[in-house]
Amino acid sequence: GGRGRGRFRGPPDPDYNSPVCRLQTNMFPINMDSFSKLYLYQVHYDPPLKEAGPGYAITARKRWIPHLRFFKDQLSEFLVYRNTQIISHVNKAEPMISIQEGGDTCKMTKVGEVTLRQLRKDPQREMMFKQMANLIIKALFRNSQYIQSGRDFFHPNSKRPFNLDRHTRLTLYTGYRATIVLTNAGPSLMIDTMKKIVQPTTVRDVIMQRTEEVRDRMAGRNATREEEIVEIERVCHNAVQNRGVMTEYNNYLYRAIRINWKLNPMRSEFKKGDTTVTFYDYVRERYGREFAKRVRDEDGMLEVERGSRSRRRRADDNNEENKESKKIYLVPSLCYMTGLPDNIQDIHQVGKEIAAKTKVEASSRMTLITSVLQNLQDKHGDGKEYFTTKPNELDDVPVLGPYKVLFLDKTTRREQSLDVNKNENDWNRRLRDFIIEFPALPPQLQRMSRKNRTNSVACLFDESDTMLARNWERDTLRHARSYVPGKEPLVKMFPVRKNADLAAWKGRIKDAQTIRTASGEVRTARPFFVFIVPRRNNELIYNAIKECCFMEQGVLSQCVKAESLSPGGKYVPVICNTLKQMYLKMGQVGWRLELKDLKEHSMGSEPSMAMGIDVLSKRRDPDKKYISIVGTWDRFFTRYIWSSRHATGEYREKLATMVAEVCYKFMGIYSRPMKNLLIYRHGVSESYIRDRDDGVGGEVRAIMSKLTKVFGARGWPRPKMTVVVVQKRISTRFFRMQRDGSIHSPYPGTYVSSERAVSDPAHRSFFIIPCKKHPNQGTAIPTKFTIIEQEVT
């Protein structure tokens, strides 16, 4: 290729036109014969447990956890227990250990020895095998001086300054993410590189900053001292809850729960062995006077948690006394915040800078992974090969495509096609030249489009951005004439007072929907809302706007940042993209993929819907969930019906009701029953997939039951359903191997089926590479699709 902007400058790829490729993975087979013997213990309780039943496992867990620390001291830190069976990885094993406390006797008796290979052969001990293998892998990392944080391991010596244009005092730690996975080829160690960003501000700095902001805000409100304290505690709690922190003295990572304002690090005491000491004395004795000098005589200790979610769930089953003894408190002045600061998290340019400094290319990533595995085995010193340094390889992996995008050209007014693979470099420039509506739509869909489209647009903006808003109005109307000729929007401007609070923005949203007719009658309209979000507190205002429009008022909206409309930036692309989003949300049709093979498929020949479901919960309020559903209602899969609500507590029944309502709207359009329903469930973890009762399986059963009632009431059969879970945040990576031995990122459309050696045999799953052919930075991230239910053939 040439040296023009956006062109690939590397040598030509001789394998590009091949329909298949050869891949390496970041999974390395483990050698189970190299691990030490494991000792199996049987636990006996006096008084004994009742016969096995629904509460058998919970009762055994409650009886066992209070004695967990004692048995760890006697045996080893590496313990895996399941009901009344315990496995320990130790060099020597005691024949019997017993403890008696409060009339409850717990006795452990050695009943045999077992190896990982024997555990792997027993299907009932599959989870126990994974837990034990993961514990041993973690021990190997800790022996190499790595610090553990969940599945992540990073080395303290790897820290280096991380400079950004807007925030120059960040610190970057490099490390690895490792876990044991079960594949068709056997147990493997999956490992990938990771980065951890640490801020220069401590938790105390955050508390002091939020305190000053609250005092300045409440200075003119004549608030009492008690009201001010309550507001300070609330704001500080929200600022640190569920945020990652790292201790300065030992580089341990924790997850913040809340701030306990009743504790003081200089005066409050905790039990250490048989004595009680203050937090200040403990820091001075354990870590030295240098850190003890930074402990302040101020109320407030940070309550944190450490470990996996499964451990925290097990801890929640204990009694209140045991939970109180397991709480971890940290000194706020000795804990640094991790991750990006709030003021730069959503800045696009910052994201590009971070990607340029943290992304690792495919060849470099594989070199780092293999080198750290070799170092782990060399530093352990026993000469055993715990896992191979040669990764799993996949031959003759198919590459799907190429794909074409269909759109209407502005100049010719005819339908054009664009090859995604060949025209990726000028993708944005070419798509800027299409118009909105397709003339090839069926007459019924064209009538529906004209009926549902609104021509009124309300623009809300801060008074300080008046000039930007006027320029936006002028240029939006000018570009609208070329996108949809003869159908210009009617734009009305609604200024919001300068530096207004969230309540003022919500009030203006309601004012924009009020129309007073000539006769004095007041009625409510549903215009399309465009918000120019100001620079100050743009994240808070954006969240309030979306919650008000999406959850409370039920109106369509589009937000654009004020800095994006500033002179000198990419002004024209912002105007064009905002206008496209407006028309598409109002029911128009943009570009679409060319689906030639779908006409012969049942999804293309019968009334069918493709539906996406996402359930979100805020970190600050995990019990309150937001359910969003979007479904297609045309044969091109380009027109949508959507629904969004919030639910508290048990949400599956409301989710099933919302799915039925969207399907009912589909039947109202076509006046005939739906035949096929393809559901994509997003944002689900592996443990949620495996949970057949309370996981995805419970959601599928609730949806099936609800659709059976809705369709049966009209004498129609329930539509055939196929449920697929989509996972994008995964650690699986693929590396394409060329004929010259070099390693590159895989092609878009690379398809790895469930029959390959990288898939879990318990579920039907496959991977697809969605990104572009030659990524400028990093390695392509595959998307994993897990089939939960399949009725559509």
Side-chain angles (χ1 to χ4, degrees):
R3 293 188 175 274
R5 181 182 177 184
R7 298 181 181 178
F8 177 60
R9 301 180 182 180
D13 186 355
D15 298 329
Y16 176 64
N17 294 325
S18 176
V20 296
C21 64
R22 183 184 179 190
L23 299 179
Q24 280 186 349
T25 68
N26 61 337
M27 300 181 186
F28 299 81
I30 65 175
N31 186 5
M32 291 184 289
D33 295 332
S34 298
F35 290 93
S36 304
K37 286 186 178 180
L38 310 174
Y39 298 95
L40 180 63
Y41 284 82
Q42 189 74 27
V43 184
H44 303 278
Y45 299 97
D46 188 17
L49 295 177
K50 297 181 180 180
E51 297 182 359
Y56 176 72
I58 299 177
T59 305
R61 189 186 311 154
K62 289 183 177 180
R63 297 281 293 274
W64 153 251
I65 289 183
H67 313 306
L68 178 62
R69 187 176 299 276
F70 173 79
F71 289 128
K72 280 188 175 182
D73 295 338
Q74 295 294 320
L75 292 175
S76 169
E77 183 182 355
F78 310 122
L79 291 176
V80 176
Y81 65 91
R82 185 177 182 183
N83 296 344
T84 59
Q85 289 184 343
I86 298 176
I87 291 181
S88 173
H89 175 232
V90 291
N91 295 325
K92 61 179 181 179
E94 300 291 339
M96 186 181 69
I97 302 174
S98 62
I99 182 174
Q100 185 174 2
E101 182 179 353
D104 189 4
T105 303
C106 185
K107 186 182 297 184
M108 292 175 53
T109 306
K110 177 185 173 183
V111 295
E113 299 176 355
V114 68
T115 62
L116 285 181
R117 187 175 295 277
Q118 293 172 339
L119 281 178
R120 183 71 182 96
K121 292 180 180 179
D122 189 355
Q124 296 182 352
R125 295 181 178 176
E126 182 179 282
M127 189 57 62
M128 190 176 290
F129 162 79
K130 288 188 63 175
Q131 292 175 343
M132 201 68 233
N134 275 315
L135 288 174
I136 297 174
I137 295 300
K138 293 175 183 177
L140 296 178
F141 273 96
R142 284 197 294 267
N143 290 339
S144 300
Q145 307 303 317
Y146 281 86
I147 296 177
Q148 178 189 352
S149 173
R151 294 190 304 160
D152 299 338
F153 302 88
F154 67 94
H155 207 286
N157 297 334
S158 66
K159 66 178 181 179
R160 58 185 175 89
F162 186 62
N163 298 323
L164 296 175
D165 291 342
R166 292 173 173 81
H167 208 288
T168 59
R169 296 179 56 198
L170 299 176
T171 304
L172 182 67
Y173 287 83
T174 58
Y176 300 89
R177 175 168 295 177
T179 186
I180 297 294
V181 294
L182 304 179
T183 65
N184 292 325
S188 300
L189 172 65
M190 183 170 64
I191 184 169
D192 191 28
T193 59
M194 55 82 62
K195 304 290 189 298
K196 179 69 69 175
I197 298 176
V198 180
Q199 303 177 24
T201 56
T202 63
V203 177
R204 180 180 179 273
D205 297 335
V206 175
I207 294 176
M208 299 300 294
Q209 180 183 359
R210 296 296 191 273
T211 301
E212 292 297 328
E213 292 177 357
V214 172
R215 287 175 177 173
D216 293 342
R217 190 170 66 247
M218 302 187 69
R221 299 184 183 180
N222 297 326
T224 62
R225 177 62 178 169
E226 290 75 13
E227 293 176 348
E228 182 178 306
I229 293 176
V230 171
E231 182 66 14
I232 290 175
E233 293 180 355
R234 184 189 68 83
V235 173
C236 294
H237 170 75
N238 293 337
V240 302
Q241 186 184 23
N242 286 322
R243 298 294 298 271
V245 297
M246 187 181 76
T247 52
E248 183 183 4
Y249 40 82
N250 57 7
N251 294 323
Y252 280 5
L253 294 172
Y254 298 89
R255 179 71 59 183
I257 302 177
R258 64 188 182 94
I259 300 176
N260 192 329
W261 299 97
K262 298 180 181 179
L263 299 181
N264 187 301
M266 299 291 289
R267 306 183 198 137
S268 301
E269 297 180 343
F270 68 98
K271 190 174 182 180
K272 182 185 178 184
D274 298 332
T275 61
T276 57
V277 296
T278 63
F279 291 94
Y280 170 79
D281 295 335
Y282 175 77
V283 172
R284 185 182 61 180
E285 176 186 352
R286 181 73 180 272
Y287 302 106
R289 294 181 178 272
E290 180 182 356
F291 293 106
K293 291 179 181 179
R294 299 177 54 186
V295 180
R296 308 295 184 188
D297 187 8
E298 300 170 344
D299 292 340
M301 292 284 293
L302 185 65
E303 182 181 340
V304 297
E305 59 188 3
R306 190 162 183 255
S308 62
R309 292 183 177 181
S310 59
R311 292 184 189 176
R312 296 197 289 268
R313 283 197 297 265
R314 289 198 295 264
D316 291 340
D317 291 335
N318 301 338
N319 52 38
E320 293 297 328
E321 181 179 356
N322 191 43
K323 285 197 295 185
E324 186 66 30
S325 64
K326 288 182 176 295
K327 288 182 178 179
I328 304 175
Y329 294 100
L330 301 178
V331 180
S333 57
L334 299 178
C335 300
Y336 285 104
M337 303 291 291
T338 62
L340 291 176
D342 294 337
N343 59 335
I344 65 173
Q345 271 188 357
D346 299 321
I347 301 178
H348 179 67
Q349 186 62 31
V350 172
K352 293 177 63 176
E353 294 180 29
I354 294 174
K357 297 180 179 181
T358 60
K359 296 290 186 179
V360 182
E361 294 184 357
S363 57
S364 302
R365 187 186 293 261
M366 180 55 70
T367 302
L368 290 173
I369 291 174
T370 53
S371 62
V372 72
L373 291 180
Q374 189 63 47
N375 292 335
L376 289 179
Q377 298 193 132
D378 294 342
K379 291 184 178 181
H380 198 261
D382 55 2
K384 296 180 180 179
E385 186 178 346
Y386 290 93
F387 30 74
T388 63
T389 55
K390 183 179 180 181
N392 291 331
E393 294 185 359
L394 309 176
D395 295 327
D396 298 334
V397 179
V399 180
L400 308 178
Y403 294 102
K404 289 186 178 181
V405 168
L406 303 180
F407 62 97
L408 285 182
D409 193 271
K410 275 182 172 182
T411 57
T412 62
R413 305 285 176 176
R414 295 178 182 177
E415 194 170 27
Q416 304 290 332
S417 64
L418 180 67
D419 194 322
V420 176
N421 288 15
K422 293 181 180 179
N423 300 85
E424 59 175 337
N425 294 327
D426 58 347
W427 171 267
N428 290 328
R429 182 180 61 82
R430 291 293 301 275
L431 288 187
R432 214 174 292 153
D433 297 331
F434 75 80
I435 59 179
I436 298 295
E437 251 182 334
F438 278 100
L441 287 176
Q444 183 181 7
L445 298 186
Q446 290 186 8
R447 290 194 299 270
M448 181 63 67
S449 175
R450 289 192 296 268
K451 180 180 178 181
N452 292 344
R453 184 172 64 246
T454 177
N455 199 38
S456 177
V457 177
C459 178
L460 277 71
F461 59 95
D462 192 278
E463 289 182 347
S464 59
D465 301 324
T466 302
M467 186 60 66
L468 298 179
R470 296 301 178 188
N471 294 338
W472 175 88
E473 180 187 14
R474 178 197 63 205
D475 296 327
T476 295
L477 293 176
R478 179 168 58 88
H479 286 278
R481 298 187 185 99
S482 62
Y483 281 123
V484 186
K487 302 173 184 177
E488 300 177 12
L490 178 60
V491 181
K492 295 183 179 180
M493 311 300 288
F494 292 88
V496 183
R497 71 174 185 271
K498 188 176 181 180
N499 299 329
D501 56 4
L502 304 181
W505 281 87
K506 292 184 177 181
R508 292 298 280 169
I509 294 175
K510 297 179 181 179
D511 295 340
Q513 298 182 66
T514 303
I515 297 179
R516 188 176 298 275
T517 62
S519 60
E521 180 185 358
V522 178
R523 60 184 181 88
T524 301
R526 295 282 177 170
F528 187 95
F529 282 87
V530 176
F531 298 91
I532 300 179
V533 183
R535 297 174 178 85
R536 183 176 180 271
N537 294 332
N538 56 6
E539 180 65 21
L540 295 176
I541 294 176
Y542 174 81
N543 292 335
I545 287 172
K546 283 300 182 181
E547 185 172 0
C548 181
C549 293
F550 207 51
M551 309 302 301
E552 299 176 6
Q553 303 295 325
V555 294
L556 299 174
S557 62
Q558 178 65 31
C559 294
V560 57
K561 293 184 178 180
E563 53 264 30
S564 301
L565 300 176
S566 302
K570 296 182 178 180
Y571 181 72
V572 174
V574 171
I575 292 292
C576 296
N577 292 332
T578 304
L579 191 59
K580 291 176 188 176
Q581 293 286 347
M582 290 170 50
Y583 277 115
L584 294 177
K585 289 182 179 180
M586 287 190 292
Q588 303 297 333
V589 177
W591 58 268
R592 58 183 173 88
L593 289 176
E594 185 179 22
L595 304 174
K596 293 182 179 180
D597 300 333
L598 198 62
K599 296 179 180 179
E600 292 78 16
H601 195 275
S602 58
M603 289 288 292
S605 59
E606 300 175 348
S608 305
M609 172 184 286
M611 178 183 294
I613 299 176
D614 198 0
V615 180
L616 303 176
S617 60
K618 291 185 177 181
R619 293 186 302 177
R620 299 172 182 175
D621 191 5
D623 292 334
K624 188 176 182 180
K625 295 179 172 57
Y626 293 88
I627 306 174
S628 299
I629 298 177
V630 59
T632 62
W633 60 277
D634 69 322
R635 61 187 182 93
F636 297 108
F637 301 103
T638 55
R639 304 289 304 278
Y640 305 100
I641 307 169
W642 62 274
S643 177
S644 183
R645 296 176 188 172
H646 61 83
T648 304
E650 179 58 39
Y651 68 94
R652 292 178 182 84
E653 186 63 31
K654 181 166 287 189
L655 171 63
T657 302
M658 293 173 61
V659 172
E661 290 176 355
V662 172
C663 294
Y664 196 81
K665 293 179 181 178
F666 179 93
M667 293 186 295
I669 297 173
Y670 281 92
S671 301
R672 54 176 178 164
M674 181 192 304
K675 296 295 184 181
N676 305 297
L677 178 60
L678 175 60
I679 296 179
Y680 289 97
R681 178 69 165 89
H682 180 256
V684 175
S685 62
E686 291 288 344
S687 59
Y688 199 76
I689 294 176
R690 284 189 168 88
D691 194 347
R692 299 182 178 180
D693 298 328
D694 298 330
V696 181
E699 296 179 0
V700 173
R701 287 194 298 272
I703 293 174
M704 285 184 172
S705 176
K706 193 68 176 180
L707 292 182
T708 301
K709 295 180 181 179
V710 172
F711 281 75
R714 304 188 64 174
W716 293 339
R718 178 180 63 82
K720 298 179 181 179
M721 286 179 52
T722 293
V723 182
V724 181
V725 174
V726 184
Q727 295 171 288
K728 295 185 291 186
R729 296 182 179 181
I730 59 178
S731 299
T732 306
R733 297 291 183 270
F734 298 106
F735 307 88
R736 177 173 51 84
M737 302 175 61
Q738 291 190 186
R739 286 178 289 181
D740 57 359
S742 59
I743 297 177
H744 298 274
S745 194
Y747 297 123
T750 302
Y751 170 76
V752 182
S753 63
S754 59
E755 290 77 15
R756 300 286 180 172
V758 297
S759 298
D760 189 348
H763 296 91
R764 293 183 56 193
S765 60
F766 57 91
F767 300 86
I768 293 180
I769 304 296
C771 72
K772 59 183 180 179
K773 175 182 57 182
H774 294 288
N776 297 328
Q777 301 166 339
T779 309
I781 301 177
T783 301
K784 184 178 180 180
F785 299 84
T786 303
I787 301 175
I788 304 299
E789 185 75 25
Q790 184 176 12
E791 297 178 346
V792 181
T793 57

